[in-house]
Amino acid sequence: MLRTRIAGVGHYVPENVVTNNDLSLIMETSDEWIQERTGIKERRWVATDSEDTTSSMGTAAARKAIADAGLEPSDIDFIIFATLSPDYYFPGPGVQVQEQLGLDTIGALDVRNQCSGFVYGLSVADQFIKTGMYKNILLIGSELHSGGLDKTTRGRGVSVIFGDGAGAVVLSATEEEGKGILTTKLHSEGKHAKELALLGPATSRWVDTIMEENDPEDLSYYPYMNGNFVFKHAVTRFQEVIHEALAEAGKSPEDIDLLIPHQANLRISQYIQAKMGLGADKVFNNIMKYGNTTAASIPIALSEAKAEGKVKDGDLLCLAAFGSGFTWGSALIQF
Ligand code: UT7
């Protein structure tokens, strides 16, 4: 039976480090507040004179993942790109990666599931590989948030959280017993779409309307988050969807060698860890260094965890995400 294994991982983060103290110089905030509420110490924000874009960071991470898999770019037969911060409104960045890597005219799919984008993309790739349609799929999560945040005191509830960066994996077909993706679980609840969203400019709020109204109170072109509300849903959904995957695979929390949650807030990860009775060494966190990089957070964390020797051959890995939509999902992988 064909299964999907993670053959290679890689990540790229921009050089420019922005500390909490740096932020306190441009808005009313403090290192103490940010660390206490989120665990974040610093994040990467693309420097204004940098040439990094969402697609170029994705391509940089992809090159590393392809090399890690021992493959050449020409071995890739499909691209999946997850982001909420594309270079262009359209087309999505998948095609830019095809061009930047100099690939044949292979298919490129863009996934718009925000913080859950990587897990959704993983599930889609898994179906393509299991059916034998593709052998080596490049899955990328990349975000360039910094250019679109409200960096004044007004926007501090959102802007201090988000960071820039990219992660990628190569997913390959295997028939090896005991290897690969065991299950993926995906969910959504659109009634909460506006609790974490960027509403305009889009077709429900055209640029013309925004410009005509010229309303200084209109913040529709900045991301909005009802933080407390999102937090409460996140802690419940994370646990639910992890248990759902474990149940389907006939596993229990003790079987998990490493849980890599979407890096939304260190307090959320710690809450899940405690509720699920997992040891601190069983949950990987790097939000302290990068903030919340949305679709990129899981592949960046996976790439770092592997580099640090925290994910080994045969380990049971659990990935889980929750975010805007709301959407959430999980994956269980025998590494
Ligand atoms: O990745 C997608 C999923 N996202 C999440 O899961 C995020 C979930 N939510 C959260 O992580 C938290 O809700 C936040 C970190 C966003 C906010 O933490 P909170 O404990 O919920 O704070 P709050 O929004 O209730 O704000 C508490 C106070 C407010 O002041 P008052 O009204 O009590 O005087 C805010 O104005 O903290 C103030 N505040 C800040 N103060 C200093 C908000 N942001 C900041 C800030 N610095 N950056």
Side-chain angles (χ1 to χ4, degrees):
M1 194 183 95
L2 278 179
R3 273 207 176 146
T4 309
R5 75 182 178 96
I6 297 181
V9 299
H11 71 280
Y12 172 90
V13 289
E15 269 173 40
N16 187 38
V17 176
V18 178
T19 65
N20 294 341
N21 284 330
D22 292 334
L23 293 183
S24 69
L25 301 175
I26 56 171
M27 63 180 82
E28 280 172 38
T29 189
S30 65
D31 180 45
E32 192 191 2
W33 191 97
I34 300 172
Q35 283 211 53
E36 193 180 300
R37 308 282 176 133
T38 70
I40 300 167
K41 294 183 177 168
E42 57 189 43
R43 74 287 292 137
R44 303 296 175 98
W45 279 0
V46 165
T48 39
D49 60 353
S50 160
E51 291 187 358
D52 283 337
T53 65
T54 298
S55 68
S56 75
M57 291 192 293
T59 298
R63 285 190 198 283
K64 293 181 187 174
I66 293 167
D68 188 47
L71 298 176
E72 295 295 326
S74 55
D75 294 316
I76 300 299
D77 41 25
F78 194 66
I79 300 164
I80 304 179
F81 201 123
T83 188
L84 66 69
S85 51
D87 297 12
Y88 313 134
Y89 187 93
F90 72 85
V95 296
Q96 289 165 283
V97 172
Q98 179 272 332
E99 206 272 329
Q100 287 164 17
L101 287 178
L103 303 182
D104 280 345
T105 57
I106 60 170
L109 173 72
D110 295 289
V111 171
R112 298 202 43 177
N113 288 87
Q114 300 68 246
C115 305
S116 314
F118 184 81
V119 174
Y120 266 74
L122 189 74
S123 185
V124 171
D126 187 30
Q127 314 315 313
F128 277 139
I129 287 181
K130 282 194 301 203
T131 55
M133 183 154 171
Y134 297 119
K135 282 198 179 67
N136 298 305
I137 297 181
L138 178 60
L139 169 61
I140 299 168
S142 178
E143 303 286 2
L144 201 164
H145 288 300
S146 56
L149 299 170
D150 178 358
K151 301 189 194 83
T152 67
T153 298
R154 188 181 58 189
R156 65 184 178 175
V158 172
S159 56
V160 303
I161 295 166
F162 292 99
D164 303 337
V169 296
V170 173
L171 299 158
S172 299
T174 181
E175 291 193 70
E176 203 180 324
E177 262 313 298
K179 267 236 183 268
I181 297 177
L182 305 183
T183 184
T184 55
K185 293 286 162 202
L186 307 175
H187 292 280
S188 71
E189 196 175 30
K191 73 177 173 192
H192 301 311
K194 291 186 180 170
E195 304 296 344
L196 174 47
L198 192 156
L199 299 180
T203 53
S204 64
R205 188 144 180 79
W206 289 109
V207 177
D208 280 359
T209 314
I210 294 173
M211 287 172 71
E212 235 168 71
E213 288 177 2
N214 195 20
D215 175 2
E217 300 297 314
D218 175 14
L219 302 176
S220 63
Y221 38 80
Y222 285 127
Y224 164 80
M225 175 162 69
N226 183 350
N228 278 295
F229 188 83
V230 176
F231 194 104
K232 283 181 195 138
H233 282 256
V235 291
T236 309
R237 296 307 194 185
F238 265 111
Q239 290 179 76
E240 259 177 31
V241 79
I242 294 169
H243 281 296
E244 188 186 2
L246 288 170
E248 174 153 312
K251 307 273 184 193
S252 52
E254 307 83 74
D255 296 322
I256 296 176
D257 291 301
L258 194 67
L259 168 65
I260 301 185
H262 159 55
Q263 305 290 294
N265 182 322
L266 188 61
R267 307 298 159 233
I268 294 179
S269 297
Q270 289 170 336
Y271 185 87
I272 301 161
Q273 180 196 320
K275 281 281 177 189
M276 295 194 59
L278 300 172
D281 59 328
K282 295 284 171 91
V283 183
F284 190 83
N285 292 300
N286 62 3
I287 190 170
M288 306 73 91
K289 295 191 289 181
Y290 303 128
N292 177 343
T293 57
T294 320
S297 90
I298 291 179
I300 294 175
L302 176 59
S303 173
E304 283 206 339
K306 190 179 170 223
E308 290 171 24
K310 291 182 176 153
V311 196
K312 295 175 291 299
D313 238 27
D315 276 358
L316 183 69
L317 195 63
C318 180
L319 312 180
F322 175 89
S324 163
F326 293 153
T327 59
W328 62 102
S330 64
L332 271 183
I333 304 158
Q334 208 82 54
F335 200 71

